[in-house]
Amino acid sequence: MAKEVIRQYLPLLEEEGRGAATGDDTGRDRHYLPELPDEDPYQAGHRTCAGCGPAIEYRWVLKAAGPDTVVAGPTGCMYVANSTYLCTPYTVPWAHTPIASGGSFTAGVAAGYEALIRKGRHPGPYPNIIVMAGDGSAADIGLGSISGALYRNHDALFICYDNECYANTGIQVSPTTPYAGMTTFTPFGKAIPEGKSLPPKNLAKMMAEGHPHCYVATTTVGYPVDLMNKTRKGLNHRGAAFMHCFTPCQKGWVYQTSMTVEIGRRVVEAGLFPVWEYDPAERTYHYFHPPVQRPVTDYLAMQGRFGHMLPEHIASIQIQANRNWQDIGMDVPAELREGEDPAAHLRLREETYSMPLNRGVGA
Ligand SMILES: Cc1ncc(C[n+]2csc(CCOP(=O)(O)OP(=O)(O)O)c2C)c(N)n1
Ligand code: SF4
Ligand SMILES: [Mg+2]
């Protein structure tokens, strides 16, 4: 007789008090974390760049998931920089997959564990099964295989760590590269002064709208507790879950290495990366309303990849941000409305912007 497949349950971490997102007035408490597990299934000693956003995301995700976890990683920085010959930073089983097949590989792992447990050939419980794919993989080359696995509802967590470029092969444009983001394939010049002229693909909304039975969430490395709780909710969800995590790439975006977490917050406060959860039971979106709303220049001016932007490019990003504020049910303050006019801006490299309160070393 088939054995029962027992699932794990991961309790949620405390988000109130100093663990919650705080504003400029109350201090940003970027380094405060609640009681966390001691285990670090993603250990130090890997070879990602200093300040690498995806490495921070990997660490929090695997800390939240714990030791009874199996991970897959399609080709990208987080495969190449993490696994040199005979050496990986993982203390849990980990597999590299081709860039196109993160979804199908993970579907196979999930179906395999179910079968082994039912047949009594694995004692269980069912492990946490996670794939962490870059944006080039999840939003582009491997999109079909991830969509297929979500559609078939395999019990696993599918994550896109989004550094808004094909980083590993030399910072090429990807579908999630923002408008005006400079990459080696979208240089600015006389013909196209903004660099990238297309808007980014809205991957997370595509996944939620297209797979309404799945748990879908967005988060950033600027909100570690939110990131870990969404990891746990995705794993606790019986069936397929998808999480889109904004992860700055220090090398590709050109900013001070200590600013990765700050940029992960500012993108939300600038209205450029809405943080939300989609609940498949109610079929509704729950939007996070940040305590601070900033002009987009507070975010853009921290990064060299936007340094070429002209006033009309900044205004067009502010228009997009203002639409996002309305979409998530927030008012647009007059100051941000004024930013829709190119006459309100200088060239980006001449703009002044507010620096973070908690400056890190070297900031
Ligand atoms: C089918 C295929 N095309 C191209 C490549 C080359 N390639 C290796 S890593 C990489 C970049 C992947 O980008 P992303 O998924 O965003 O991960 P990141 O490097 O940014 O972490 C590419 C294009 C490949 N390995 N396989
Ligand atoms: S290039 Fe970017 S994503 Fe890749 S290791 Fe460096 S900081 Fe991380
Ligand atoms: Mg990428």
Side-chain angles (χ1 to χ4, degrees), residues 342-353:
H345 299 287
L346 304 168
R347 296 196 309 175
L348 191 71
R349 61 172 174 263
E350 288 150 14
E351 289 265 1
T352 51
Y353 65 101

Side-chain angles (χ1 to χ4, degrees), residues 54 76-77 133-137 160-168 172 174 176 247 249:
C77 265
D135 47 301
S137 173
C160 173
Y161 71 86
D162 189 0
N163 55 12
E164 300 185 339
C165 60
Y166 281 91
N168 185 244
Q172 289 92 21
S174 90
T176 59
T247 54
C249 165

Side-chain angles (χ1 to χ4, degrees), residues 8 13 23 48 62 73 79 82 99 114 119 154 203 229 231 234 260 272 276 288 297 310 316 333 343 359 362:
Q8 305 180 52
L13 303 159
T48 64
L62 291 184
Y79 154 63
N82 281 328
I99 194 168
E114 290 238 21
K119 290 178 181 171
H154 292 284
L203 178 67
N229 275 340
T231 300
T260 304
L272 293 172
W276 49 262
F288 167 63
T297 43
L310 301 175
S316 114
R359 294 184 187 191

Side-chain angles (χ1 to χ4, degrees), residues 246 253 263 267 270 272 296-303 305:
F246 175 92
W253 301 8
I263 288 176
V267 72
L272 293 172
V296 292
T297 43
D298 272 10
Y299 167 74
L300 301 172
M302 293 177 82
Q303 302 167 57
R305 65 177 172 154

Side-chain angles (χ1 to χ4, degrees), residues 80-116:
V80 178
N82 281 328
S83 55
T84 32
Y85 184 57
L86 294 181
C87 171
T88 83
Y90 302 101
T91 60
V92 292
W94 173 85
H96 167 233
T97 83
I99 194 168
S101 48
S104 41
F105 178 92
T106 308
V109 172
Y113 269 105
E114 290 238 21
L116 288 173

